[in-house]
Amino acid sequence: MGAPPIRTRQTKQHGPRHARFSVAVPPGRLRSLPLGRLCCIVAPLLLAGCMVGPNFRAPSAPAVSGYTVETRLRPAMATDIVGGAPQNFVDTLDVGGQWWREFNAPQINAFVEEAVRNHPDVRAAQYALRAARETALQVRGQWVPQVSGNVSATREQITAASGGTTGKPTLYNLYETTVNVSYTLDVFGGIRRQVESAEAQAQYQRFEMEATYLALTANVVTSAVTDASLRAQIAATQAIVTAETDQLRRVQRQFEVGAVSQVDVLAQQATLAQTQATLPPLQKQLAQGRNQLMAYLGRLPSEDRGESVDLRSLRLPRTLPVSLPGQLVRQRPDIRLAEATLHQAAATVGVNTANLLPQFTLTPSVSSQALTVGQLFTPQGLAWTAAASIAQTLMDGAQLYRTKEASVAAFEQDYALYQSTVLTAFQNVADALRAVQYDAATLRAQALAEQSALDSLKMAQEQFKVGAIGYAIVIDAQQTYQNAVIARIQTQAMRYNDTVALFQALGGGWWNRIDETSDAAIRNGGYLEGPDGPALAATRPGLPDLPPTPEPGTAKEKSR
């Protein structure tokens, strides 16, 4: 993928700087400074447009035209059973914002809506985004001069002796107001890089929210399909148990009239018991899967109301989107997360580079003193100062320099991690495409295997009736048919889950919907206002709780 695509502004460095000095110019001296020296002080202040460090640019997408070696993907083959619809891959077809509706299952739609509405992870991601945005605004506040004020009133009595005289003491009131201003000139862009870093962190949280939303919706749909598959497997197993129970009765009647041996009866009993033994594991998977589904919906396991999806009612989408590789890097939330991390790392390099250079600060101050309140703001009581300082580290054991070098290494690391994320994303899409293709072929093979197993079982049963074969062949045919039925149901579910995986691998269509809620918006509440959301339930008015006082004679009291 090449080197990091960034543009840098070169700043001549002479190794690490150490200790710190400052120069303050008294206001009275400004008029007496020679013009050349005055320019030397003012000129750096005029360089406020300079920004050291790398200027970030999003990395380019890999220069490939597809996700597989074929230029055109073969459609997924059709099978004339439920879940066997053909599927065509359509280049440049966009992923819908509500892709789960493609399965034509109202219950799945209801599950997804409930999960997004109720799951705490979604709310946590919204509030994390809001916190990051508030932090970015807080960092932006460094561009504004910091102003502080002070008002004081003093009543004082001074003895005459303190002034070298005799007589009565003097009693007076002194009122004073002071306004202090401090402003750091962003000469080398350190503050702007901090703002850039904070905004990149807000972008990170934005795509963290999208990743949370995508993972939750995909997990809900997959869990609902798996739930439907397990129910179908349990129903099929119960039907096989019923058929094998009927077969056992027939074999027992034949044994009673001497047509078969007891070995055949015992063999059928063993087959029935083995089939029955497969039910509890399926039921356990179903129960645990229901608990997981309830957690995705934001419910407790005891709040399960029994809603479910019938595997036979699901519809397999006939057309599947295949985004262009150049679009995938802008659509995958995990890639955008890695990009935001890389952006933040680049800005951090700029911040640490600016810390190596001189810092320019203006600190004007205005005050007023008077013996009465009415005289506070008269010209006679006003005093002011205007100071400018330049601070530079001269000796610190190379701490600032090594901090900058560490951030450069961290940036290189984040770029490598970004490349790894892109590789994984392309692999995910390619895996999902292959799964759609090959699981469609698997379903066709499983359907044929199931039909062949059923025909073989019927034939074996007929041949056994006329004594042409032994009962062991019938037992083998029963087990083969049972395995074929379960495998076919599992493969049906796999085709739906493969489609979910493809939608997820392509980014989930977040760009076609609005996932942000009011929880992520900047709040403009009262200046001292505290929580006003769901977390308010975890607070209460009044004084904080004090630790309980140990009763006399207890261990804690004795330890004192």
Side-chain angles (χ1 to χ4, degrees):
M1 296 183 184
I6 57 173
R7 301 186 299 273
T8 59
R9 296 180 185 273
Q10 297 298 327
T11 302
K12 188 175 182 181
Q13 298 290 336
H14 301 283
R17 290 173 168 79
H18 311 280
R20 200 172 184 82
F21 76 89
S22 62
V23 178
V25 183
R29 294 285 306 278
L30 289 176
R31 289 190 296 271
S32 63
L33 287 174
L35 180 60
R37 293 181 62 187
L38 183 61
C39 290
C40 290
I41 295 174
V42 177
L45 308 183
L46 302 179
L47 299 177
C50 176
M51 291 178 66
V52 296
N55 295 325
F56 178 77
R57 181 177 61 192
S60 302
V64 294
S65 59
Y67 302 98
T68 60
V69 294
E70 301 95 328
T71 56
R72 187 172 183 81
L73 291 169
R74 292 181 292 101
M77 63 178 58
T79 304
D80 192 20
I81 60 173
V82 174
Q87 291 182 299
N88 297 309
F89 302 106
V90 181
D91 294 337
T92 72
L93 181 64
D94 200 9
V95 180
Q98 296 181 326
W99 52 266
W100 51 87
R101 293 186 175 274
E102 296 288 334
F103 295 103
N104 194 33
Q107 188 58 62
I108 286 182
N109 301 340
F111 279 155
V112 171
E113 291 172 4
E114 182 178 357
V116 172
R117 183 174 62 250
N118 293 336
H119 201 281
D121 285 356
V122 174
R123 292 199 305 273
Q126 300 282 350
Y127 284 117
L129 175 56
R130 174 173 136 191
R133 287 171 170 170
E134 295 283 5
T135 300
L137 291 178
Q138 176 262 318
V139 176
R140 279 178 172 271
Q142 297 182 68
W143 282 337
V144 180
Q146 306 300 303
V147 182
S148 62
N150 179 61
V151 178
S152 65
T154 305
R155 184 173 177 83
E156 187 173 355
Q157 178 175 291
I158 301 178
T159 63
S162 64
T165 62
T166 61
K168 294 182 178 181
T170 302
L171 182 66
Y172 69 94
N173 298 328
L174 178 64
Y175 302 93
E176 182 177 7
T177 61
T178 305
V179 177
N180 298 308
V181 180
S182 177
Y183 182 60
T184 300
L185 296 176
D186 193 21
V187 176
F188 299 107
I191 295 177
R192 279 168 287 172
R193 292 301 189 194
Q194 292 179 40
V195 172
E196 183 181 357
S197 175
E199 291 178 345
Q201 177 62 24
Q203 279 292 91
Y204 178 93
Q205 292 298 340
R206 192 289 179 85
F207 290 108
E208 181 70 26
M209 179 199 69
E210 297 296 353
T212 300
Y213 193 110
L214 175 57
L216 179 62
T217 53
N219 287 336
V220 168
V221 178
T222 301
S223 295
V225 172
T226 302
D227 180 86
S229 173
L230 288 170
R231 290 176 184 276
Q233 292 176 55
I234 290 172
T237 302
Q238 289 172 336
I240 293 172
V241 167
T242 301
E244 291 180 350
T245 301
D246 293 339
Q247 181 67 15
L248 176 60
R249 293 194 188 100
R250 288 193 291 269
V251 174
Q252 286 174 334
R253 286 197 296 268
Q254 291 176 337
F255 170 70
E256 292 170 357
V257 298
V260 298
S261 67
Q262 189 176 9
V263 174
D264 296 332
V265 176
L266 294 176
Q268 182 62 33
Q269 288 177 339
T271 300
L272 175 59
Q274 289 175 356
T275 304
Q276 290 173 330
T278 62
L279 272 175
L282 291 174
Q283 292 166 335
K284 182 185 77 171
Q285 292 181 52
L286 177 62
Q288 293 177 340
R290 293 295 299 183
N291 294 340
Q292 181 63 76
L293 179 58
M294 292 304 105
Y296 289 142
L297 300 181
R299 302 187 205 170
L300 299 175
S302 59
E303 296 175 321
D304 190 346
R305 297 191 290 269
E307 311 100 308
S308 62
V309 177
D310 188 347
L311 192 64
R312 295 169 298 180
S313 67
L314 294 177
R315 180 185 66 188
L316 202 63
R318 298 295 186 95
T319 57
L320 295 176
V322 181
S323 302
L324 295 175
Q327 294 175 326
L328 186 68
V329 297
R330 312 310 303 162
Q331 294 175 354
R332 285 268 300 212
D334 56 344
I335 296 180
R336 299 298 295 273
L337 281 170
E339 179 185 314
T341 301
L342 184 62
H343 189 177
Q344 189 175 21
T348 301
V349 173
V351 172
N352 293 331
T353 303
N355 290 338
L356 290 167
L357 301 172
Q359 309 295 312
F360 300 85
T361 306
L362 300 178
T363 54
S365 175
V366 179
S367 64
S368 176
Q369 292 182 339
L371 298 177
T372 64
V373 176
Q375 296 176 337
L376 264 179
F377 301 103
T378 59
Q380 295 80 4
L382 289 178
W384 60 271
T385 61
S389 67
I390 305 174
Q392 172 64 50
T393 299
L394 295 179
M395 182 178 295
D396 68 345
Q399 294 181 60
L400 293 177
Y401 174 73
R402 293 306 172 190
T403 299
K404 188 267 295 183
E405 287 299 303
S407 64
V408 170
F411 172 72
E412 299 288 356
Q413 176 192 13
D414 288 333
Y415 185 73
L417 293 175
Y418 174 87
Q419 292 176 309
S420 177
T421 302
V422 172
L423 287 173
T424 301
F426 275 67
Q427 177 192 346
N428 292 158
V429 176
D431 288 347
L433 293 172
R434 293 306 190 194
V436 170
Q437 286 181 319
Y438 291 119
D439 284 342
T442 302
L443 181 59
R444 170 178 283 189
Q446 290 291 357
L448 293 174
E450 180 186 4
Q451 185 61 49
S452 298
L454 179 60
D455 295 340
S456 177
L457 175 60
K458 291 179 178 179
M459 182 178 295
Q461 290 172 338
E462 293 298 326
Q463 290 178 338
F464 175 74
K465 289 179 182 179
V466 299
I469 60 174
Y471 197 70
I473 297 178
V474 178
I475 296 298
D476 289 341
Q478 288 177 340
Q479 293 175 338
T480 301
Y481 174 66
Q482 175 190 355
N483 294 334
V485 170
I486 299 302
R488 185 262 303 165
I489 295 173
Q490 291 174 341
T491 309
Q492 283 177 308
M494 285 173 58
R495 289 211 63 188
Y496 295 109
N497 287 335
D498 291 341
T499 302
V500 174
L502 180 59
F503 284 129
Q504 184 178 14
L506 293 173
W510 57 266
W511 54 94
N512 287 324
R513 61 174 183 265
I514 299 175
D515 293 338
E516 290 187 30
T517 67
S518 58
D519 295 335
I522 298 297
R523 191 177 72 154
N524 294 312
Y527 195 73
L528 301 177
E529 185 177 352
D532 59 359
L536 187 62
T539 67
R540 64 180 181 84
L543 296 175
D545 294 332
L546 296 176
T549 302
E551 294 294 333
T554 62
K556 290 184 179 180
E557 182 65 24
K558 289 178 180 178
S559 66
R560 295 183 179 179

